[in-house]
Amino acid sequence: MTSRRMFLAGLASLPVGARLGAAVAAPIGSIRRLDPELDRIVAPSAAVTVLARGYKWAEGPVWAPRDNCLLFNDPPSNILYRWRPKDGARPFLSPSGLQGPVPPGIREPGLNGLAIDSSGALIAADSGTRAIVRIDLRTRARTILADRFQGKRFNSPNDLCVAPSGMIYFTDPPYGLTDGDRSALRELEHCGLYALGPDGALSLLDGSHRRPNGVAASPDGRTLYLALSDEQRPEVLAYSLDERGFPTGRRLFHDMRAEQEKGLPGLPDGIKVSRNGHVFATGPGGVHILAPDGRALGLIGTGKSVANCALDAAGRRLFLTSSDMLAVVPVRPA
């Protein structure tokens, strides 16, 4: 057997989600340059490469610096994966979210949005448990940080971020419930944007949106970005925050109606912010790379919906969770 045939045979024996690595996958999709400033972030020669395939819906990537790995989810399958260059994507937590039988009313039992706190612990939006949880990556012990607002259970926490102050911002649409807005499991009438303080105090920041989704804080902690996965309002909003981390106003940061009207796949979803304030916002067509003032610099597409994205610790790789796959794009620290 030739070395290539031996390699392919070994590759076929791996779980589907671990079969592809950056060295063997062909480039896909496209990178569209909308402003010359994009060249400072993405080299003209850069390409999108698939790292792994075989997921029901890949979501919530986050780089874990202490373990030098990427963590991401498949919420419908209730599995958290860990990706490392040497061994690809492997299951790390299964079940990742709901710990027990999945009732008919739960559509996505697994974890969704992920973040790493200052201690290195995983903070997660647990769609199945309908809670915000902390997971020790060494022991895998789970702690529920919040699961109710004013005594009523959350809908299905979807995305979150940890601000420099330690404040956890998260969103709570009904995507994880089988019947969505009409679910008999719903106890709250609104879909909220919340803040959970280091002292455990929970505050509703905004309950006016139909589909609040991706959320990210600026490096200085003075701006909070919110994606609306709303067909009628495919927008990214920016909230000005005071010194305590609470909103003092909001504005339209970026409108994605033009891309939606072209029929490009996806809606505003996950968001990440670089150390220099550039915003990577998923939406129709892929990942929209935006300047700190909201200008569109470029669009990274895979040909499929991109749910979320994450930068590695050095800011040199942008990972994309796109429909049934995990992909990566080399970037320059931005």
Side-chain angles (χ1 to χ4, degrees), residues 79-157:
I79 300 173
L80 171 71
Y81 288 87
R82 180 174 64 188
W83 177 87
R84 288 174 169 166
K86 63 180 181 180
D87 52 14
R90 305 281 185 172
F92 182 72
L93 286 177
S94 181
S96 66
L98 188 61
Q99 306 289 295
V102 179
I106 300 296
R107 185 173 72 92
E108 295 184 341
L111 301 182
N112 200 311
L114 305 174
I116 302 293
D117 70 10
S118 60
S119 72
L122 183 68
I123 306 299
D126 188 336
S127 182
T129 308
R130 301 164 68 185
I132 302 300
V133 301
R134 181 185 186 274
I135 300 175
D136 186 311
L137 292 175
R138 294 285 188 264
T139 67
R140 309 192 187 193
R142 299 164 54 91
T143 303
I144 292 179
L145 302 180
D147 62 359
R148 284 170 169 78
F149 176 68
Q150 296 182 344
K152 297 181 179 180
R153 293 194 69 183
F154 294 136
N155 298 309
S156 56

Side-chain angles (χ1 to χ4, degrees), residues 13 66 117 157 211 225 254 256 330 334:
S13 68
R66 294 187 181 184
D117 70 10
R211 288 291 183 269
Y225 299 97
H254 189 72
M256 298 185 182

Side-chain angles (χ1 to χ4, degrees), residues 140-224:
R140 309 192 187 193
R142 299 164 54 91
T143 303
I144 292 179
L145 302 180
D147 62 359
R148 284 170 169 78
F149 176 68
Q150 296 182 344
K152 297 181 179 180
R153 293 194 69 183
F154 294 136
N155 298 309
S156 56
N158 185 276
D159 200 13
L160 52 70
C161 68
V162 180
S165 65
M167 184 83 83
I168 299 170
Y169 297 99
F170 67 95
T171 57
D172 185 40
Y175 285 135
L177 303 177
T178 304
D179 297 319
D181 291 324
R182 300 181 301 277
S183 174
L185 298 179
R186 285 195 72 183
E187 298 181 18
L188 293 166
E189 295 182 359
H190 61 266
C191 295
L193 168 65
Y194 294 92
L196 179 63
D199 60 356
L202 178 66
S203 302
L204 174 65
L205 303 183
D206 198 334
S208 67
H209 301 302
R210 177 174 169 269
R211 288 291 183 269
N213 199 321
V215 63
S218 62
D220 63 3
R222 299 309 294 265
T223 303
L224 185 69

Side-chain angles (χ1 to χ4, degrees), residues 291-312:
D293 61 8
R295 287 179 297 114
L297 305 181
L299 180 61
I300 299 174
T302 65
K304 301 180 179 183
S305 296
V306 179
N308 213 328
C309 60
L311 291 161
D312 68 8

